[in-house]
Amino acid sequence: MMEKILKRIFALALLIYIGWAVVYFSSKDNLYRSDRDVCRDLKIKLIDEEGDVRMTEQDVLRELKRLKCYPVGQAVDSISLPEIESRLKGTGLFKEAQAYLSPSFRLHLKLVCNEPYFFVQLSDNRSFHVTKERQIVPVSIDYSLPLLVVSGQVDSLAAVTGLFDLVNEIEQNQTWKNLFSQVYVRPDGDVCLLSRIADMEIILGKTPNWRDKLDKLEVFINQVIPRTGWDAYSTINLKFAGQIVAKQRPAESHVQTSATPSV
C-alpha cells in the first residue's frame, strides 16, 4: 500500500517537474527568440536618376515614423516588407522602393527619389511641391537645398504645365537661376519674376512663350543695365510682342549700381 502511494507521489512530482520545465524552457526560448528575431538596424540607400539627391536619411526616418512603419526594434515576423514599400511609394516622394531583410536582421531600403523641382505656395496658404516628372506631392519634408518658389494665383494645372515650363527655362540657365528668387502670378493672371538683385519686377504676362521673353530680357540686361544700373527701374514689362517697357524710378529714389547676375 505504502509502495503504491510513493509511486503516485513520485509520478505526480515528475509530472509537475515536466510541466515546470516545459514552461520555463519555453519562456526562455521565447525570450531568446524575441531578442534575436527583431529588426536590429536600418540601412537606407537614396538614389536620384540625375545624381541630385536633396533628401536625407533623416527625412526617410521621419517618413517611416509618420507612416507608422518604422521597423527597428519590431519583431521580424510582424514586419511586412510589401507594406513598407507601398506606404513609401504612396507618399509620392519615391518612384521606387525596395525593402529586404539581411540574415543579421538589418532592414535594407533602396529608394529612388521623386525629387521636387520647385515649391508652390497658394494664395490660401496651402502648398505643395512639383517634381521633375510634373507630379504634385505634399510638403512633408523640408529640403536643405533651396527650391524656386512659385506663388500667387496658381492652380495645380498651371503648376504642371505653363509654370513648369517657365521654371524649367530658369533652372536650365545659370544667369536666370542667380537672378530670380520667385515666380509670382498676379490676380489678373500676369506672370511676374522677382529679382534677387534689386527691388524690381519683371512682367512676363499670360502667354507662355517664355523663351522669347527671356531672350528680350537678356538683350535689355546686356545693353541697358550696364549704363543705368539695376536700381534704375521698378518694373520691366516683356508681355508685349516686340517691345520692352521699362518703368524708371524717380532719380532721387535710387542709387545706380552696375551689378549683374553671376554666371
Side-chain angles (χ1 to χ4, degrees):
M1 184 67 178
M2 181 60 68
E3 185 178 349
K4 288 183 179 180
I5 293 173
L6 290 174
K7 286 181 178 180
R8 288 178 182 178
I9 292 173
F10 176 77
L12 181 60
L14 182 61
L15 286 173
I16 291 172
Y17 174 78
I18 291 172
W20 172 85
V22 168
V23 171
Y24 176 79
F25 288 108
S26 175
S27 62
K28 289 276 287 186
D29 186 57
N30 284 338
L31 287 171
Y32 170 74
R33 288 180 60 83
S34 69
D35 180 62
R36 183 189 64 184
D37 295 352
V38 298
C39 178
R40 296 179 179 275
D41 193 12
L42 178 62
K43 180 70 174 178
I44 299 169
K45 183 176 183 180
L46 292 166
I47 300 170
D48 178 71
E49 293 173 346
E50 297 182 13
D52 181 24
V53 178
R54 297 172 184 263
M55 195 175 299
T56 67
E57 290 188 10
Q58 288 301 316
D59 295 327
V60 178
L61 292 176
R62 282 196 297 270
E63 281 300 293
L64 287 169
K65 291 174 182 178
R66 184 182 69 84
L67 296 168
K68 301 188 185 305
C69 57
Y70 181 70
V72 176
Q74 301 298 315
V76 169
D77 57 6
S78 71
I79 297 173
S80 171
L81 300 181
E83 183 70 15
I84 291 175
E85 294 171 345
S86 175
R87 290 190 184 186
L88 287 173
K89 289 180 68 175
T91 64
L93 297 170
F94 308 100
K95 298 178 189 177
E96 297 178 19
Q98 297 179 354
Y100 69 92
L101 272 167
S102 69
S104 61
F105 301 109
R106 167 183 282 183
L107 193 142
H108 294 256
L109 276 177
K110 181 180 178 181
L111 303 169
V112 179
C113 301
N114 207 1
E115 292 288 356
Y117 203 25
F118 57 94
F119 174 79
V120 177
Q121 179 70 57
L122 303 179
S123 57
D124 61 2
N125 291 325
R126 291 183 298 120
S127 58
F128 55 83
H129 285 127
V130 176
T131 71
K132 294 175 182 178
E133 286 71 36
R134 300 179 187 252
Q135 295 178 329
I136 291 175
V137 296
V139 177
S140 57
I141 291 177
D142 293 325
Y143 293 94
S144 56
L145 295 177
L147 297 173
L148 188 67
V149 175
V150 177
S151 64
Q153 298 299 312
V154 185
D155 59 46
S156 56
L157 178 60
V160 298
T161 53
L163 291 174
F164 183 97
D165 295 336
L166 174 57
V167 171
N168 202 46
E169 291 287 347
I170 295 170
E171 290 292 326
Q172 298 303 316
N173 185 306
Q174 193 62 46
T175 298
W176 303 144
K177 285 180 69 173
N178 291 337
L179 178 58
F180 303 131
S181 62
Q182 188 171 341
V183 177
Y184 177 73
V185 183
R186 289 175 164 180
D188 63 4
D190 276 351
V191 177
C192 304
L193 301 173
L194 304 184
S195 168
R196 299 181 192 273
I197 294 176
D199 183 17
M200 179 173 59
E201 186 178 54
I202 295 97
I203 303 170
L204 301 180
K206 301 178 181 66
T207 54
N209 52 331
W210 312 125
R211 176 72 62 85
D212 294 340
K213 294 174 180 179
L214 291 172
D215 286 345
K216 288 196 297 182
L217 179 61
E218 186 173 19
V219 171
F220 186 87
I221 289 173
N222 291 335
Q223 296 184 8
V224 179
I225 294 298
R227 300 197 308 269
T228 64
W230 286 98
D231 291 327
Y233 302 95
S234 59
T235 62
I236 300 175
N237 195 330
L238 306 168
K239 64 191 283 188
F240 304 109
Q243 298 181 56
I244 301 174
V245 181
K247 182 179 179 180
Q248 285 189 304
R249 304 179 199 274
E252 66 275 8
S253 68
H254 71 87
V255 177
Q256 183 169 311
T257 174
S258 59
T260 57
S262 60
V263 177

